[in-house]
Amino acid sequence: MPRHVAIIMDGNGRWAKSQGKIRPFGHKAGLKSVRRAVNFAAKQGLKALTLYAFSSENWHRPTDEVSALMKLFMRALDKEVKSLHKNKVCLHIIGDISRFDSCLRDRIKNVEVLTKNNNGLQLNIAANYGGRWDIMQSMRYLAQQVQQGILQPNDLDEKLINRYMSTQSSVDLVIRTGGEYRMSNFLLWQIAYAELYFTDVLWPDFDENIFKKALDEFAQRERRFGRVSFLDKII
Ligand code: FPP
């Protein structure tokens, strides 16, 4: 069983189009899949689930779509917080939230404070997130420490860089829906040894069966972390 699963939720727009509806309709349907995925992940005993909700590049979408997405986040935070807290989920928003309006930022803070000591599923929602941004902000912090003489350049190692990443746990499995085969600047540091699972299913159609299929396939994979195969060692 993977400990940390990360999902690139793609295909909301195409799903909406296939229903003859506008794109925000797809995001709304996508929220139902988020709920399903979170419940399933908690039930399966995963330690962490990271969902790519809004990338740094998504600001380039039409203004109407961006504002519909923001409203959806706000409503989701308000509506879901009670049941997340009840289910011991620890919620963390990762990404550069400085561009969000103060109302949304306050809500994010409140939810994070409320759920911070929960020991169930660690749920990371990546919002205005970019993998390169994540590495940059850790490096910037460490550069400041060096400048202030608190650290020496030689003190910087992978462990220290990892400590200041927005999420520290390595990803075991990445799932991408929507039929594309790329990482789209998602968790670049944390996926170094992740297994990848791609499906053509559009995010609003993602359900427990597909999630289970991805977990089953993960269980079949041999993870070598750069070492030789277990079977080769026997032979
Ligand atoms: C990608 O589909 C999806 C997004 C950019 C937004 C994801 C948002 C949600 C699933 C809803 C809210 C989530 C939370 C966590 C509150 P796309 O629009 O790129 O689809 P397309 O590739 O078919 O155009």
Coordinates of all heavy atoms in Angstrom, one line a residue, residues 41-77:
A41 N -9.4 7.3 0.3 CA -8.0 7.3 0.8 C -8.0 7.1 2.3 O -7.1 6.3 2.8 CB -7.4 8.6 0.4
A42 N -8.9 7.7 3.0 CA -8.9 7.6 4.5 C -9.3 6.1 4.9 O -8.7 5.5 5.8 CB -9.9 8.6 5.1
K43 N -10.3 5.6 4.2 CA -10.7 4.2 4.4 C -9.6 3.2 4.2 O -9.5 2.2 4.9 CB -11.9 3.9 3.6 CG -13.0 3.2 4.3 CD -14.4 3.2 3.6 CE -14.4 2.4 2.3 NZ -15.6 2.7 1.5
Q44 N -8.8 3.5 3.2 CA -7.7 2.5 2.8 C -6.5 2.7 3.8 O -5.5 2.0 3.6 CB -7.2 2.8 1.4 CG -8.3 2.5 0.3 CD -8.6 1.0 0.3 OE1 -7.7 0.2 0.2 NE2 -9.9 0.6 0.4
G45 N -6.6 3.7 4.6 CA -5.5 3.9 5.6 C -4.2 4.6 5.0 O -3.1 4.5 5.5
L46 N -4.4 5.3 3.8 CA -3.3 6.1 3.3 C -2.8 7.1 4.3 O -3.7 7.7 5.1 CB -3.6 6.8 2.0 CG -4.1 6.0 0.8 CD1 -4.2 6.9 -0.4 CD2 -3.1 4.9 0.5
K47 N -1.5 7.4 4.4 CA -1.1 8.5 5.3 C -1.3 9.9 4.8 O -1.7 10.8 5.5 CB 0.4 8.3 5.6 CG 0.8 7.1 6.4 CD 0.7 7.5 7.9 CE 0.8 6.2 8.8 NZ -0.5 5.6 9.0
A48 N -1.1 10.0 3.4 CA -1.2 11.3 2.8 C -1.8 11.3 1.4 O -1.5 10.3 0.7 CB 0.1 12.0 2.8
L49 N -2.6 12.3 1.1 CA -3.2 12.4 -0.2 C -3.0 13.9 -0.6 O -3.3 14.8 0.1 CB -4.7 12.1 -0.2 CG -5.4 12.3 -1.5 CD1 -5.0 11.2 -2.5 CD2 -6.9 12.2 -1.3
T50 N -2.3 14.1 -1.8 CA -2.1 15.4 -2.3 C -2.9 15.6 -3.6 O -2.7 14.8 -4.5 CB -0.6 15.8 -2.5 OG1 0.0 15.6 -1.2 CG2 -0.4 17.2 -2.9
L51 N -3.7 16.6 -3.7 CA -4.5 16.9 -4.9 C -4.1 18.2 -5.6 O -4.0 19.2 -4.9 CB -6.0 16.9 -4.5 CG -6.6 15.7 -3.7 CD1 -8.0 16.0 -3.3 CD2 -6.5 14.5 -4.7
Y52 N -4.0 18.1 -6.9 CA -3.6 19.3 -7.6 C -4.9 20.0 -8.0 O -5.5 19.6 -9.0 CB -2.8 18.8 -8.9 CG -1.8 19.8 -9.4 CD1 -1.5 21.0 -8.8 CD2 -1.2 19.5 -10.6 CE1 -0.5 21.8 -9.3 CE2 -0.2 20.4 -11.2 CZ 0.1 21.5 -10.5 OH 1.1 22.4 -11.0
A53 N -5.2 21.1 -7.3 CA -6.5 21.7 -7.6 C -6.3 22.9 -8.5 O -7.2 23.2 -9.3 CB -7.1 22.2 -6.3
F54 N -5.2 23.6 -8.4 CA -5.0 24.9 -9.2 C -3.5 25.1 -9.3 O -2.8 25.4 -8.4 CB -5.7 26.0 -8.4 CG -5.9 27.3 -9.2 CD1 -7.0 27.4 -10.0 CD2 -4.9 28.3 -9.2 CE1 -7.2 28.6 -10.8 CE2 -5.1 29.4 -9.9 CZ -6.2 29.6 -10.7
S55 N -3.0 25.1 -10.6 CA -1.6 25.3 -10.8 C -1.3 26.7 -11.0 O -2.2 27.5 -11.3 CB -1.1 24.5 -12.0 OG -1.5 25.1 -13.2
S56 N 0.0 27.1 -10.8 CA 0.3 28.5 -11.0 C -0.1 29.0 -12.4 O -0.4 30.1 -12.7 CB 1.8 28.7 -10.9 OG 2.4 27.7 -10.1
E57 N -0.1 28.0 -13.4 CA -0.4 28.4 -14.8 C -1.9 28.6 -15.0 O -2.3 29.2 -16.0 CB 0.1 27.3 -15.7 CG 1.6 27.2 -15.9 CD 2.3 26.6 -14.7 OE1 1.7 25.7 -14.0 OE2 3.5 27.0 -14.4
N58 N -2.7 28.1 -14.0 CA -4.2 28.2 -14.2 C -4.7 29.6 -14.2 O -5.8 29.8 -14.6 CB -4.9 27.3 -13.2 CG -4.8 25.8 -13.5 OD1 -5.0 25.0 -12.6 ND2 -4.6 25.4 -14.7
W59 N -3.9 30.6 -13.7 CA -4.3 32.0 -13.8 C -4.6 32.4 -15.2 O -5.3 33.4 -15.4 CB -3.3 32.9 -13.1 CG -3.1 32.7 -11.6 CD1 -2.1 32.1 -11.0 CD2 -4.1 33.1 -10.6 NE1 -2.3 32.1 -9.6 CE2 -3.5 32.7 -9.4 CE3 -5.3 33.7 -10.6 CZ2 -4.1 32.9 -8.2 CZ3 -5.9 34.0 -9.4 CH2 -5.3 33.6 -8.2
H60 N -4.0 31.7 -16.2 CA -4.1 32.2 -17.6 C -5.4 31.7 -18.2 O -5.7 32.0 -19.3 CB -2.9 31.6 -18.4 CG -1.6 32.0 -17.9 ND1 -1.3 33.4 -17.8 CD2 -0.6 31.3 -17.4 CE1 0.0 33.4 -17.3 NE2 0.4 32.2 -17.1
R61 N -6.3 31.1 -17.4 CA -7.6 30.7 -17.9 C -8.5 31.9 -17.9 O -8.3 32.9 -17.3 CB -8.2 29.6 -17.0 CG -7.4 28.3 -17.1 CD -8.0 27.2 -16.3 NE -7.2 26.0 -16.6 CZ -7.7 24.8 -16.6 NH1 -8.9 24.5 -16.3 NH2 -6.9 23.8 -16.9
P62 N -9.7 31.7 -18.7 CA -10.6 32.9 -18.7 C -11.0 33.3 -17.3 O -11.2 32.5 -16.4 CB -11.8 32.3 -19.5 CG -11.3 31.1 -20.2 CD -10.1 30.6 -19.4
T63 N -11.1 34.7 -17.1 CA -11.4 35.2 -15.8 C -12.7 34.6 -15.1 O -12.7 34.3 -13.9 CB -11.7 36.7 -15.9 OG1 -10.9 37.2 -17.0 CG2 -11.4 37.5 -14.6
D64 N -13.7 34.3 -15.9 CA -14.9 33.7 -15.4 C -14.6 32.3 -14.8 O -15.1 32.0 -13.7 CB -15.9 33.4 -16.6 CG -16.6 34.7 -16.9 OD1 -16.3 35.7 -16.3 OD2 -17.4 34.7 -17.9
E65 N -13.8 31.6 -15.5 CA -13.5 30.2 -15.0 C -12.6 30.3 -13.7 O -12.9 29.6 -12.7 CB -12.7 29.4 -16.0 CG -12.5 28.0 -15.6 CD -11.8 27.1 -16.6 OE1 -11.8 27.4 -17.8 OE2 -11.4 26.0 -16.2
V66 N -11.7 31.2 -13.7 CA -10.8 31.4 -12.5 C -11.7 31.8 -11.3 O -11.6 31.2 -10.2 CB -9.7 32.4 -12.7 CG1 -9.0 32.7 -11.4 CG2 -8.7 31.9 -13.7
S67 N -12.6 32.7 -11.5 CA -13.4 33.2 -10.4 C -14.4 32.1 -9.9 O -14.7 31.9 -8.8 CB -14.1 34.5 -10.6 OG -15.2 34.4 -11.4
A68 N -14.9 31.3 -10.9 CA -15.8 30.2 -10.5 C -15.0 29.2 -9.7 O -15.6 28.6 -8.7 CB -16.4 29.5 -11.8
L69 N -13.8 28.9 -10.1 CA -13.0 28.0 -9.3 C -12.7 28.5 -7.9 O -12.8 27.7 -6.9 CB -11.6 27.8 -10.0 CG -11.5 26.6 -10.9 CD1 -10.2 26.6 -11.7 CD2 -11.6 25.2 -10.1
M70 N -12.4 29.8 -7.8 CA -12.2 30.4 -6.4 C -13.4 30.3 -5.5 O -13.3 29.9 -4.4 CB -11.8 31.9 -6.5 CG -10.5 32.1 -7.2 SD -9.1 31.3 -6.3 CE -8.0 30.9 -7.6
K71 N -14.6 30.5 -6.1 CA -15.8 30.4 -5.4 C -16.0 29.0 -4.9 O -16.5 28.7 -3.8 CB -17.0 30.9 -6.2 CG -17.2 32.4 -6.2 CD -18.6 32.8 -6.7 CE -18.6 34.3 -7.1 NZ -18.9 34.5 -8.5
L72 N -15.7 28.1 -5.8 CA -15.9 26.7 -5.5 C -15.0 26.3 -4.3 O -15.4 25.6 -3.4 CB -15.6 25.8 -6.7 CG -16.0 24.4 -6.7 CD1 -17.5 24.2 -6.6 CD2 -15.5 23.7 -7.9
F73 N -13.7 26.8 -4.3 CA -12.8 26.5 -3.2 C -13.4 27.0 -1.9 O -13.4 26.3 -0.9 CB -11.4 27.1 -3.4 CG -10.6 26.5 -4.5 CD1 -9.7 27.3 -5.2 CD2 -10.8 25.2 -4.9 CE1 -9.0 26.7 -6.3 CE2 -10.1 24.6 -5.9 CZ -9.1 25.4 -6.6
M74 N -13.9 28.2 -1.9 CA -14.4 28.9 -0.7 C -15.6 28.0 -0.2 O -15.6 27.7 1.0 CB -14.9 30.3 -1.0 CG -13.8 31.2 -1.4 SD -13.7 32.5 -0.1 CE -14.3 33.9 -1.0
R75 N -16.5 27.7 -1.1 CA -17.7 27.0 -0.6 C -17.3 25.6 -0.1 O -17.8 25.1 0.9 CB -18.7 26.8 -1.8 CG -19.9 27.7 -1.5 CD -21.0 27.5 -2.5 NE -20.6 28.2 -3.8 CZ -20.7 27.7 -5.0 NH1 -21.2 26.5 -5.1 NH2 -20.4 28.3 -6.1
A76 N -16.3 25.0 -0.8 CA -15.9 23.6 -0.4 C -15.2 23.7 1.0 O -15.5 22.9 1.8 CB -14.9 23.1 -1.4
L77 N -14.4 24.7 1.2 CA -13.8 24.9 2.5 C -14.8 25.0 3.6 O -14.8 24.3 4.7 CB -12.8 26.1 2.6 CG -11.5 25.9 1.9 CD1 -10.7 27.2 2.0 CD2 -10.7 24.8 2.6

